[in-house]
């Protein structure tokens, strides 16, 4: 006995028509930016990743039109471009919010409260993983690792760090984002929108006054091993309590020895 394609949930409908092109003025502007990006590489196809960020900065996600533009600009097939755009999670395939809020739910962050944070935000915002609030401000997603385990649990907003979070602090964070109140990451420059972030990732300068100087770096907890390798004393506390500045003084053992 054989089964039909429809019984397996496979649609054999008409193929999608070709993606529409950008309007002439948009295409002209993107072509000028694309030439600047491509000039950085000896092989033009190496510019595909930043060009995908460029078209993402235009519409907030990578559309079929954006992939068509990348393919035509670089002399690639749309299949080649699609393969890359669907492989990397930094490229959005559907409309998303001004602020991409990613909650790390990998092992250490989960144990330290990441799962609770994610569940709290889902309920508070009324959205699921990868979904956007009705006002278009926040897209919530779980992330496997933010590479900041020493500050777990960690939340990222448009790839800027918010360390040592709790369900309450994360709820306050998204409320501030939706209300348009200024928000300062734990480490890194003040936030800009997802579209603005995408253009920076495409390789264009961050033109906000002072933003480059505010750029993030490794925090004290990340640098303890390096300091110990250099023979420097360990800090009294590696991870500071919320709302307090990190203490960079001598270790408790060193303080005991000095008190003898």
């Amino acid at each position: 006995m054989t089964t039909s394609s429809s019984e397996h949930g496979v649609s054999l409908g008409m193929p999608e028509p070709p993606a529409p092109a950008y309007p002439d003025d948009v295409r002209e502007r993107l072509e000028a930016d694309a030439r600047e990006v491509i000039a950085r590489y000896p092989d033009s196809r190496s510019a595909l990743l930043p060009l995908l960020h460029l078209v993402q900065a235009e519409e907030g996600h990578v559309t079929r039109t954006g992939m068509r533009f990348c393919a035509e600009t670089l002399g690639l097939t749309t299949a080649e471009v699609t393969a890359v755009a669907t492989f990397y999670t930094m490229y959005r395939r559907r409309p998303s919010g001004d602020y991409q809020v990613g909650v790390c739910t990998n092992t250490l962050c989960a144990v330290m409260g990441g799962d609770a944070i994610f569940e709290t935000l889902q309920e508070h915002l009324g959205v699921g993983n990868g979904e956007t609030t009705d006002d278009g401000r926040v897209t919530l997603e779980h992330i496997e690792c933010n590479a900041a385990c020493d500050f777990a649990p960690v939340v990222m907003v448009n790839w800027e760090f918010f360390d040592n979070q709790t369900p309450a602090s994360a709820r306050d964070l998204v409320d501030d984002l939706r209300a348009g109140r200024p928000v300062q990451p734990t480490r890194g420059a003040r936030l800009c929108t997802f579209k603005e972030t995408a253009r920076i990732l495409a390789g264009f300068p961050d033109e906000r006054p002072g933003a480059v100087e505010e750029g993030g770096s490794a925090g004290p907890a990340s640098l303890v091993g390096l300091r110990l390798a250099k023979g420097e004393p360990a800090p009294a506390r590696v991870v500071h309590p919320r709302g307090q500045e990190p203490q960079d003084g001598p270790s408790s053992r060193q303080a005991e020895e000095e008190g003898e």
Side-chain angles (χ1 to χ4, degrees):
M1 177 179 177
T2 60
T3 55
S4 67
S5 301
S6 59
E7 290 174 341
H8 288 297
V10 177
S11 172
L12 298 179
M14 294 296 293
E16 285 187 299
Y22 283 121
D24 291 342
D25 59 329
V26 175
R27 185 178 182 90
E28 183 178 353
R29 173 166 45 79
L30 289 176
E31 285 177 341
D33 287 339
R35 286 193 293 270
E36 183 177 339
V37 172
I38 294 170
R40 303 172 190 152
Y41 299 91
D43 185 342
S44 63
R45 68 182 296 143
S46 299
L48 177 56
L49 295 182
L51 283 193
L52 284 169
H53 283 299
L54 177 65
V55 297
Q56 184 161 250
E58 184 65 30
E59 299 178 84
H61 66 294
V62 177
T63 62
R64 293 175 61 238
T65 296
M67 288 189 283
R68 172 184 170 179
F69 172 82
C70 291
E72 292 175 349
T73 302
L74 299 176
L76 301 173
T77 66
T78 54
E80 289 174 311
V81 175
T82 302
V84 174
T86 56
F87 180 82
Y88 293 103
T89 58
M90 290 182 74
Y91 301 123
R92 309 299 173 199
R93 296 301 310 281
R94 58 176 182 263
S96 59
D98 294 330
Y99 298 100
Q100 200 81 26
V101 176
V103 182
C104 183
T105 55
N106 213 335
T107 307
L108 184 56
C109 277
V111 169
M112 298 294 289
D115 284 341
I117 290 173
F118 188 68
E119 291 171 4
T120 295
L121 292 185
Q122 284 190 104
E123 181 178 354
H124 183 63
L125 296 173
V127 298
N129 181 46
E131 295 180 352
T132 302
T133 54
D134 292 338
D135 57 9
R137 297 289 283 172
V138 170
T139 297
L140 178 67
E141 66 173 350
H142 74 78
I143 296 178
E144 287 302 318
C145 185
N146 280 327
C149 303
D150 37 4
F151 293 101
V154 174
V155 172
M156 294 191 85
V157 180
N158 294 351
W159 313 118
E160 299 291 357
F161 287 104
F162 290 81
D163 301 324
N164 303 320
Q165 292 294 294
T166 66
S169 68
R171 188 171 56 244
D172 291 342
L173 169 61
V174 296
D175 285 347
D176 287 341
L177 292 174
R178 298 184 73 183
R181 290 187 285 267
V183 172
Q184 184 64 41
T186 310
R187 293 172 286 137
R190 59 192 181 278
L191 292 180
C192 56
T193 66
F194 185 71
K195 287 183 179 181
E196 292 169 331
T197 302
R199 183 169 177 83
I200 294 170
L201 291 174
F204 293 93
D206 188 340
E207 298 179 350
R208 297 173 298 158
V212 174
E213 291 74 18
E214 296 172 357
S217 63
S222 306
L223 299 176
V224 169
L226 178 62
R227 292 180 57 176
L228 292 175
K230 291 182 176 180
E232 299 177 15
R237 184 187 293 273
V238 175
V239 178
H240 58 285
R242 180 174 307 284
Q244 296 183 23
E245 292 298 321
Q247 300 171 10
D248 232 0
S251 65
S252 56
R253 178 178 296 178
Q254 180 183 359
E256 292 173 1
E257 292 174 351
E258 291 176 352
E260 293 178 351

